Amino acid sequence: MQTGLRAARLLSCVAMIALASACSDGNERTSTGTSAAQLAVQESGSPLASGDVARDGLAWINYRRTQAGLQMVARDARIDHAAAAHAGYQQLNNLITHDEDPTRPGFTGSTATERLRAGGYPLDTDARADGEVIAATAEADGFAAAEGLLGAIYHRYLMLEPRFDLAGAGDAHRGGGYDWLNVNFVATRSSSGLDAGRVAVWPMPDQQSVRTYVFSDQETPDPVAGRNTVGYPVSVHASLGSTLQVSRFTIREYGGSALKHVQLDGHSDRDTPQSAAAIIPLARLRSGVRHDVEFAGTIDGVPVERRWSFTTK
């Protein structure tokens, strides 16, 4: 993962907060194991697959953002251009990376921020943050690629960042190899995000058919070092620029004891923004079981409590 979201620490552009960029290492090619057709049946009200990987990937991200109570991101042709150019660079060089080497074919900018500028987007005057996520999958399936990325927590921080209001997507395919989905996000200076004291959560309340596990080693950086198969991450998201403090964050099976987990927050984990937090169970969740989540903390000193449940598939 290359980073770009980090308030004081958040990375990238000068005089601008840039959100963390995230990257699957290619093993994410198995995605969720669920195809676009299966996802459409499983999820009521989901968009229809068009077969265009970039279009479908962005449509699925917007579908999940809406479910989380967030604004949809509007598609911008200039950001599309940057995303497509970098997907093409990776395809030409058979790489999965956020960085480009000027000596290699297809170079348009060393970083995501530089590529957005090269694509014609006026970051310095119009944006307060930007970020990039990449999936390299074995199948050309935008829905499944985007859903797979949501399971990778550092990707999710970007995909569910409340302040993002513009995005662009591009894809490229190598015969017998990967299909690259590249999505770039921008938070314009006019974007407002969530109201003060509000958070978005994922999985969403009462969500059904939630995945039971993810492979931690398939995300860069690895959110749970030394352990590959872990439970599906649970996360809380405030708007970029705010400070989220965690006092209690637990997950348990209905009627059971709290599950052992790793907690990621902006104070203990350098790759988690100050405005978000997550817990990752150390073992895969049991299938077909209701799980109860409790969160208590503050956003910029204002107390926040959330209790919700979801059920695994």
Side-chain angles (χ1 to χ4, degrees), residues 19 45 67 89 91 93-94 111 129 136 184 192 194-195 214 254 266 268 272 282 295-296:
L19 194 87
Q67 289 181 311
Y89 171 89
Q91 186 271 339
N93 295 285
N94 199 25
T111 66
N184 289 88
S192 56
L194 294 171
D195 294 338
V214 297
Y254 176 68
S268 63
T272 294
L282 291 178
F295 171 84

Side-chain angles (χ1 to χ4, degrees), residues 241-255:
S242 54
T243 299
L244 181 72
Q245 298 267 7
V246 180
S247 58
R248 184 176 71 257
F249 203 171
T250 62
I251 179 173
R252 67 186 72 234
E253 293 185 356
Y254 176 68

